[in-house]
Amino acid sequence: MTAAGRFRHLSRWGRWVLLLPFLGVVVVFILDRTSNNPNVTFEPALTAGPALAAVVSNSLWFPLLVGGVTIGEAFGIAAEDRTMSASVHTASVLAIVLISAIGAASVMLRNRQERALADARLVSEVAQRILLRSIPERIGPVRAAVHYAAAAAHARIGGDLYEVVQTRYGVRAVIGDVRGKGLAAVETAAAILGAFREAAHQEPALDKVAAWLADSLGRALHENGGEHEGSDEEFVTLVLVGVRPDAVVEIVNCGHPAPLLLRRGTPVRFLDPPANVPPLGVLEPEDVVAPILRLPLQEEDRLLLYTDGVIEARNSWGVFYPLAERVPDCASADAPAVVLDRLHEDVRRHVGHQLGDDAAMLLLQYAPVPTPGTALAVRSVVHPRAVHDRSTPQGRTD
């Protein structure tokens, strides 16, 4: 966008801010004219004008414009003040010229950095769309929503991962947390997600999916002769969830915080695993044997999956966010996406600032849609005589 275009897009408040350098020049002029001491001059203070112009505007020409106005004002002050030495006037003018040039250069560098940041954000957004794909509002019998916030400044992806897919074995989901941050964590998350998207469709048993992910993670951490930085200490905590067609949920937990079951009319319940299993990457892939927790689902049951960035968020007193206590108030909304938005805002209020760790939340709500066959069976039970009458030829009696 050109400088004129930026100026047109400034808000009303932004346009008033542009008047500050000119206001500063006027103030210096008034102070100099009202000064009763003939040996004191305020001309050197005019250098604040172009310096302030470089701060309040992203236009390259603005510090130069303010510098030109300021130089004219400096000559006006010198013409009025006959007692000011030529050396002071010359030094003031040279300082104004130098600061105007530095201000223009700083604006140019700042604009270049902002463009680079915008490009990085665009790449991050594209990477997120590929790595962390958007979750549909409904996947089979499940309504789903996800909320993800990366800890890295200006980043959209980090070490947390999630995915929900529809398979022949039902709806399957994963949420996980890669140890560490940065590019290495993103690479590991990509390896886990790629393996899950394949294994979820191939393996009928959910524990076998976990073993598949452990094997893929081992290869990803030690590929290329072990050049992956920190591969000896890297691991992944995750939870696998499978909603079977017979309304039974299966959960496999590998060192991750236990999901929460939100069932209407009952207290919030942690779905702890039958046995503790370490995160993936701690054991050899062939030693990963994760038990499966099975639970019958009722309609409108909700499963809240989350990463430790949520429950380890602390306020200024060092108190962790009490998720189990606060989630009932946030879960009063009908839409899963609204529930997660409320939870995220509640966590931010608890912390008082941006979260210091990646935080992901995935909400799955069991809400099966009646199939046409089921609806026909219901109508047949309610109106059996009507069905019999339609099958009997008109005018015939038995």
Side-chain angles (χ1 to χ4, degrees):
M1 182 181 293
T2 62
R6 291 194 189 96
F7 186 82
R8 287 193 298 269
H9 283 81
L10 285 173
S11 63
R12 181 177 301 178
W13 171 250
R15 295 188 180 187
W16 281 109
V17 170
L18 294 181
L19 296 178
L20 290 179
F22 300 103
L23 181 61
V25 172
V26 172
V27 170
V28 171
F29 177 77
I30 294 175
L31 290 176
D32 190 82
R33 292 297 300 270
T34 57
S35 175
N36 296 323
N37 190 344
N39 298 321
V40 176
T41 179
F42 288 87
E43 183 178 354
L46 291 174
T47 55
L52 185 59
V55 175
V56 301
S57 175
N58 287 331
S59 300
L60 182 64
W61 55 267
F62 193 67
L64 301 178
L65 172 64
V66 175
V69 173
T70 305
I71 290 175
E73 186 64 34
F75 278 99
I77 291 178
E80 292 288 337
D81 190 355
R82 301 294 183 180
T83 62
M84 183 174 56
S85 63
S87 60
V88 173
H89 172 65
T90 303
S92 299
V93 172
L94 290 177
I96 294 171
V97 172
L98 181 61
I99 293 177
S100 299
I102 294 176
S106 65
V107 169
M108 181 177 62
L109 293 176
R110 186 171 68 243
N111 290 341
R112 184 178 301 175
Q113 292 175 350
E114 289 178 353
R115 286 194 298 268
L117 179 58
D119 292 340
R121 287 178 175 175
L122 178 60
V123 172
S124 176
E125 184 175 353
V126 173
Q128 183 188 37
R129 291 180 180 180
I130 297 174
L131 180 61
L132 301 177
R133 300 181 297 195
S134 60
I135 303 298
E137 293 183 2
R138 173 173 288 275
I139 306 176
V142 173
R143 297 177 64 191
V146 67
H147 193 286
Y148 181 68
H154 309 299
R156 294 176 181 266
I157 55 178
D160 288 358
L161 58 97
Y162 60 84
E163 182 62 290
V164 182
V165 294
Q166 173 74 64
T167 73
R168 51 185 166 175
Y169 309 111
V171 177
R172 287 182 166 177
V174 64
I175 191 168
D177 186 4
V178 180
R179 178 188 179 273
K181 299 180 180 66
L183 182 59
V186 175
E187 293 175 349
T188 303
I192 290 292
L193 285 174
F196 170 77
R197 288 162 183 161
E198 179 68 19
H201 291 276
Q202 300 296 329
E203 290 289 352
L206 202 61
D207 56 343
K208 299 301 182 183
V209 176
W212 186 316
L213 300 186
D215 185 61
S216 298
L217 176 63
R219 291 196 306 270
L221 294 181
H222 299 92
E223 63 184 1
N224 299 327
E227 294 180 0
H228 187 102
E229 183 179 356
S231 60
D232 294 336
E233 301 178 356
E234 196 162 359
F235 58 83
V236 180
T237 69
L238 57 81
V239 170
L240 296 170
V241 175
V243 179
R244 300 188 330 203
D246 58 354
V248 173
V249 62
E250 296 181 335
I251 300 176
V252 170
N253 194 327
C254 297
H256 198 79
L260 285 176
L261 174 63
L262 311 178
R263 176 170 290 174
R264 188 169 299 174
T266 63
V268 176
R269 173 185 170 189
F270 284 97
L271 299 180
D272 297 310
N276 293 326
V277 176
L280 301 185
V282 175
L283 302 177
E284 294 297 327
E286 59 271 14
D287 296 331
V288 175
V289 181
I292 301 177
L293 173 66
R294 294 181 176 87
L295 179 72
L297 286 175
Q298 299 178 11
E299 192 167 350
E300 302 304 323
D301 277 355
R302 290 173 170 174
L303 292 175
L304 177 61
L305 290 74
Y306 51 92
T307 59
D308 57 7
V310 177
I311 57 176
E312 293 182 0
R314 291 183 289 185
N315 59 14
S316 57
W317 299 94
V319 178
F320 291 105
Y321 179 72
L323 178 62
E325 299 176 9
R326 307 287 279 270
V327 71
D329 294 336
C330 300
S332 59
D334 293 332
V338 177
V339 174
L340 296 187
D341 288 341
R342 291 180 178 179
L343 267 177
H344 178 71
E345 290 302 320
D346 194 48
V347 175
R348 285 191 57 121
R349 284 194 297 268
H350 176 80
V351 176
H353 52 77
Q354 183 179 353
L355 301 184
D357 194 7
D358 299 333
M361 294 181 290
L362 177 62
L363 186 62
L364 305 176
Q365 179 176 330
Y366 183 65
V369 178
T371 61
T374 304
L376 178 59
V378 172
R379 289 196 298 268
S380 300
V381 172
V382 176
H383 304 289
R385 187 176 183 85
V387 175
H388 174 74
D389 290 344
R390 286 196 298 269
S391 64
T392 303
Q394 187 173 5
R396 177 181 173 182
T397 60
D398 294 333

